[in-house]
Amino acid sequence: PSYWKAIDARNEGDAPALVEVSYGDDVGKHHTILQSHLVQPHEHFSFPEQTYDEGAWASVAAVHNIVVTCMDGDKAVSSHLFEAHPSSLEAMHGVQLGCDPTGKLTADL
């Protein structure tokens, strides 16, 4: 299987970035798990692995997509959606991004 279990988001820009990671899907008995964090300039935040309780065992909720919102103070300037396209199984996928106060985003997923 090819999927990302967790995300390490690094903000290399000069403005804060609100990063939202969506795990899993809403197919069958599962639900989408959403985590968000405001990553300050030149900092990083690790979004941990999420799981579903399957009774006697737990299944991994794979990263489905990532939304990056560039901020200017308390105001959202621009939002960008990135679908996960893993080529292998990764325990922690690194994402480098950079926002500036005008909303311009650079990203390396």
Side-chain angles (χ1 to χ4, degrees):
S2 297
Y3 60 91
W4 301 334
K5 290 183 175 183
I7 296 292
D8 184 60
R10 295 188 174 278
N11 183 358
E12 304 293 336
D14 294 324
L18 178 62
V19 180
E20 299 173 278
V21 178
S22 176
Y23 298 84
D25 54 47
D26 57 3
V27 176
K29 63 184 176 182
H30 293 152
H31 59 281
T32 300
I33 301 168
L34 182 64
Q35 286 197 333
S36 63
H37 187 81
L38 185 64
V39 183
Q40 296 297 328
H42 310 289
E43 293 187 352
H44 78 95
F45 182 80
S46 294
F47 293 87
E49 176 181 317
Q50 299 295 308
T51 59
Y52 293 117
D53 182 358
E54 304 287 358
W57 58 286
S59 64
V60 173
V63 172
H64 181 66
N65 64 42
I66 301 166
V67 175
V68 178
T69 303
C70 294
M71 305 294 291
D72 182 10
D74 291 339
K75 184 177 86 173
V77 180
S78 63
S79 288
H80 311 270
L81 171 68
F82 300 96
E83 297 288 333
H85 294 289
S87 58
S88 63
L89 174 61
E90 289 185 59
M92 180 68 74
H93 181 75
V95 174
Q96 292 184 356
L97 56 100
C99 283
D100 72 17
T102 67
K104 182 179 178 186
L105 172 72
T106 57
D108 183 13
L109 277 78

